[in-house]
Amino acid sequence: MTATTMTSGPKKQHLTRSLAFVALPLVILIWALTDLSLGRTLVEWIPYLASGFMMNILISLLAMTFGTVIGAIFGILELAPYRLVRYPVVAYVQIFRNAPHLVLIFATTYIFPFEIVIAGNYLPFPDWVKAVIGLAIPASAYVAEITRGAIQSIPTTQWEAAQGLGFSRWQALRYIILPQCVRRSLPPWMNLFSSITMATALASLVGVHELLHAATDASTAVRRIDFTIIAYIVVMAAFFALCYPISRLTRRLERRFNAA
Amino acid sequence: MTVSPDNAMTTTDGKAQDHIVKLEDIHLSFGQTQVLKGVNLTVNKGDAVSIIGPSGSGKSTLLRCINALAMPQRGRITVNGTRVDQLTKESERIELRKRVGIVFQQYNLFPHLTVLDNIVLPPTKILGVNRAAAEKLARELLDKVRLSDKANSYPGQLSGGQQQRVAIARALAMKPELVLFDEVTSALDPETVGEVLQVIRDLVRDGMTSILVTHEMRFAEEISDTVVFTENGLIVDHGSPEQIFHTSTNPRIRQFVGGLGARGTVRDGEGI
């Protein structure tokens, strides 16, 4: 009895998970097939929606790349022995970690000019780049805190052992402390990745052509209530398909690290 | 005899010029707590010196002063010609630490690296030795500590005794002039203490200058050229193992050694 529940337990869970994963696409598919005119319209608009979604992926990847690089450096600087370095960084992190993403996207959109003049050449400064900056800023603040926390979670005896062998402070950080931090900060980093990816939808509010914006365009053009609904379900399904695997992977990694 | 709390030059065998470590009038306090209150100690090249004494007597701090992990407020420390107490720059302390190995109670291996990489990393990154040479040396050292088959294991997969032997190999990979052992068997279960002590015994036999803080009385008696008894931040007495463990007239030492005697016998029974 116990044995059967034990084997069926995880299996059942697995089934529910895959069900969640296919549920939204299934709803879309069945609905589109039962009303073929709706299905045809949706198929027509899919490339447009997909081009919007590419923008979400692009913004998310770039924001996370910049955010991670800057955040990792800031996280290290948050622990610098010099106050002159530490205080401004801590201030940056505290301010931007507690600012709503939408506010930052609005701020970067309106603070930066729409074009930059470099040596007499007018270079466009598109809104999507501003959205990348608007999301990279909070991402860097979060990554800084993740990095700082990871460094501080490494026992001081590791520093002492490194020091005792003759490693400099920087070498100890580079070869002994940071490699151990990567493993510890991966799960929270992926959570952040997922949350920044979802926040890319906010860029629609400043006119960036991304998925949510594309869906709004489409529903305004088609002017059918059922199409509007299915278009937004497609938006949800797309974000789900991107973020759910990230959160699954995070949980698996967390379990593996806890076991080790 | 190698240790003299009063006059470092006083020896019985006339080898005083050969000293590698010399501590003179070392005073150190952490805040209000005075840990060392005027310690004098001289260690000759090739000797094994054991520091024994009750907990909190400043043994570990004394050891850490030798490789500048702790800095005294007063006194002179000389390690093979280097005035350690005058090293103010981190880079100078690093130069010293390259020459003085230290092994800790809690092993402190790097958990993200394999056993082999734990031993290879310091010489390659600190001394600039090439990878192949460092690996060759690492394998020789692993052989020496009888862990050749564990080269590709991670520290977490090893027992405490095995980890401690890797830590010793890691310290030796830097080819130090002397090695400090800070209660290296205190965190181990009795079964693995023996294997670690055997490695240290081999090392001492090979002529490596070793300074040990230890609670293993039988072991200290067996391998040491000199035993130092510390209490309350001072060296109470020093001398040959015979003098400290058997013929001392100091009641405090007799009490301390006597109290630990039973433990030493048990260890002996386990074939150390």
Side-chain angles (χ1 to χ4, degrees):
Chain A
M1 183 63 201
T2 3
T4 42
T5 30
M6 271 173 75
T7 46
S8 74
K11 221 183 224 170
K12 213 174 180 179
Q13 218 186 343
H14 191 72
L15 201 73
T16 341
R17 263 187 229 137
S18 18
L19 207 70
F21 201 64
V22 295
L24 286 174
L26 214 63
V27 168
I28 297 164
L29 191 69
I30 291 170
W31 197 1
L33 286 176
T34 45
D35 183 350
L36 281 174
S37 75
L38 177 67
R40 247 192 315 272
T41 320
L42 184 63
V43 169
E44 277 168 31
W45 281 94
I46 283 289
Y48 186 72
L49 295 176
S51 76
F53 195 47
M54 283 300 127
M55 184 54 88
N56 291 85
I57 294 172
L58 183 69
I59 294 174
S60 161
L61 288 180
L62 287 178
M64 276 313 278
T65 308
F66 292 127
T68 302
V69 172
I70 295 164
I73 295 168
F74 279 15
I76 294 166
L77 292 181
E78 272 193 280
L79 298 169
Y82 316 104
R83 259 182 248 170
L84 227 60
V85 177
R86 198 170 62 230
Y87 284 4
V89 174
V90 170
Y92 171 94
V93 169
Q94 291 311 326
I95 289 168
F96 292 117
R97 208 165 59 101
N98 295 296
H101 295 172
L102 184 57
V103 173
L104 291 173
I105 290 175
F106 267 76
T108 50
T109 307
Y110 298 119
I111 287 169
F112 294 121
F114 65 94
E115 55 188 11
I116 325 167
V117 190
I118 296 174
N121 296 314
Y122 286 85
L123 292 173
F125 197 167
D127 282 342
W128 72 267
V129 176
K130 295 175 189 172
V132 167
I133 299 170
L135 287 175
I137 290 170
S140 67
Y142 278 104
V143 171
E145 285 296 87
I146 291 169
T147 309
R148 183 190 57 79
I151 293 174
Q152 285 182 324
S153 77
I154 306 291
T156 51
T157 49
Q158 287 286 305
W159 285 99
E160 196 180 49
Q163 209 183 1
L165 282 161
F167 284 99
S168 69
R169 211 185 132 73
W170 169 246
Q171 283 179 320
L173 189 69
R174 163 79 182 74
Y175 298 112
I176 291 143
I177 307 299
L178 287 181
Q180 296 182 52
C181 290
V182 171
R183 189 183 134 122
R184 286 175 196 224
S185 49
L186 203 55
W189 184 84
M190 289 175 71
N191 275 332
L192 178 66
F193 189 11
S194 175
S195 117
I196 290 291
T197 303
M198 288 190 267
T200 56
L202 296 172
S204 66
L205 293 171
V206 292
V208 176
H209 172 74
E210 51 72 68
L211 180 58
L212 189 61
H213 201 269
T216 311
D217 284 351
S219 70
T220 320
V222 174
R223 294 225 251 163
R224 271 178 65 171
I225 189 82
D226 55 351
F227 179 78
T228 302
I229 295 169
I230 205 168
Y232 285 115
I233 294 176
V234 168
V235 172
M236 276 175 67
F239 276 108
F240 187 84
L242 192 60
C243 295
Y244 188 71
I246 298 175
S247 81
R248 292 287 333 140
L249 190 59
T250 310
R251 277 171 66 178
R252 191 180 300 172
L253 284 173
E254 271 171 351
R255 257 205 309 274
R256 219 176 68 191
F257 290 165
N258 287 342
Chain B
M1 191 174 110
T2 45
V3 176
S4 164
D6 306 312
N7 182 347
M9 288 300 168
T10 312
T11 57
T12 50
D13 55 10
K15 281 203 303 182
Q17 298 77 11
D18 228 12
H19 63 71
I20 185 165
V21 174
K22 190 172 171 188
L23 284 79
E24 294 163 274
D25 197 31
I26 300 300
H27 289 259
L28 187 148
S29 36
F30 296 121
Q32 294 294 308
T33 320
Q34 270 200 301
V35 182
L36 300 175
K37 305 169 187 167
V39 172
N40 295 285
L41 175 72
T42 308
V43 179
N44 282 350
K45 203 166 169 23
D47 274 4
V49 175
S50 295
I51 303 170
I52 62 168
S55 299
S57 61
K59 306 184 296 288
S60 289
T61 309
L62 181 61
L63 210 61
R64 276 151 203 255
C65 281
I66 299 172
N67 73 344
L69 282 177
M71 292 304 268
Q73 275 88 30
R74 224 173 83 200
R76 288 160 63 107
I77 304 170
T78 317
V79 174
N80 230 1
T82 307
R83 275 290 296 275
V84 178
D85 56 289
Q86 291 179 341
L87 302 180
T88 48
K89 283 194 214 127
E90 188 61 18
S91 58
E92 295 169 338
R93 292 180 194 173
I94 287 168
E95 284 308 310
L96 170 79
R97 290 181 193 131
K98 287 181 191 173
R99 296 156 42 202
V100 182
I102 184 161
V103 184
F104 300 94
Q105 181 178 344
Q106 292 292 344
Y107 350 120
N108 302 346
L109 294 179
F110 306 132
H112 62 299
L113 298 175
T114 62
V115 163
L116 188 72
D117 285 337
N118 260 279
I119 305 171
V120 166
L121 186 76
T124 50
K125 300 302 175 192
I126 301 169
L127 302 177
V129 176
N130 72 53
R131 167 92 202 181
E135 203 175 310
K136 185 168 172 284
L137 175 65
R139 291 194 188 278
E140 283 168 21
L141 289 168
L142 278 177
D143 201 38
K144 197 167 174 174
V145 299
R146 303 176 189 86
L147 284 172
S148 302
D149 54 327
K150 299 289 184 189
N152 296 316
S153 304
Y154 282 88
Q157 299 167 317
L158 305 183
S159 73
Q162 290 170 330
Q163 289 193 53
Q164 193 58 288
R165 284 185 279 156
V166 175
I168 294 172
R170 183 176 67 176
L172 294 176
M174 293 291 287
K175 298 196 173 146
E177 294 158 20
L178 73 151
V179 182
L180 312 172
F181 294 92
D182 190 3
E183 293 192 31
V184 293
T185 56
S186 299
L188 302 176
D189 60 85
E191 282 187 23
T192 55
V193 167
E195 61 195 40
V196 173
L197 294 183
Q198 185 56 47
V199 167
I200 301 174
R201 182 183 285 124
D202 291 347
L203 214 58
V204 169
R205 200 165 290 156
D206 293 347
M208 173 61 81
T209 311
S210 308
I211 305 175
L212 308 98
V213 166
T214 184
H215 290 296
E216 301 291 335
M217 296 303 145
R218 295 290 301 213
F219 181 68
E221 183 180 353
E222 177 204 325
I223 64 141
S224 306
D225 295 290
T226 304
V227 177
V228 179
F229 184 83
T230 61
E231 186 162 43
N232 296 323
L234 285 166
I235 290 183
V236 177
D237 201 5
H238 67 279
S240 67
E242 171 70 17
Q243 280 173 306
I244 296 295
F245 289 110
H246 301 291
T247 61
S248 175
T249 52
N250 186 317
R252 180 68 187 99
I253 296 177
R254 289 187 72 87
Q255 186 199 0
F256 185 80
V257 172
L260 287 157
R263 196 175 155 209
T265 317
V266 174
R267 289 261 187 277
D268 197 41
E270 284 164 6
I272 290 159

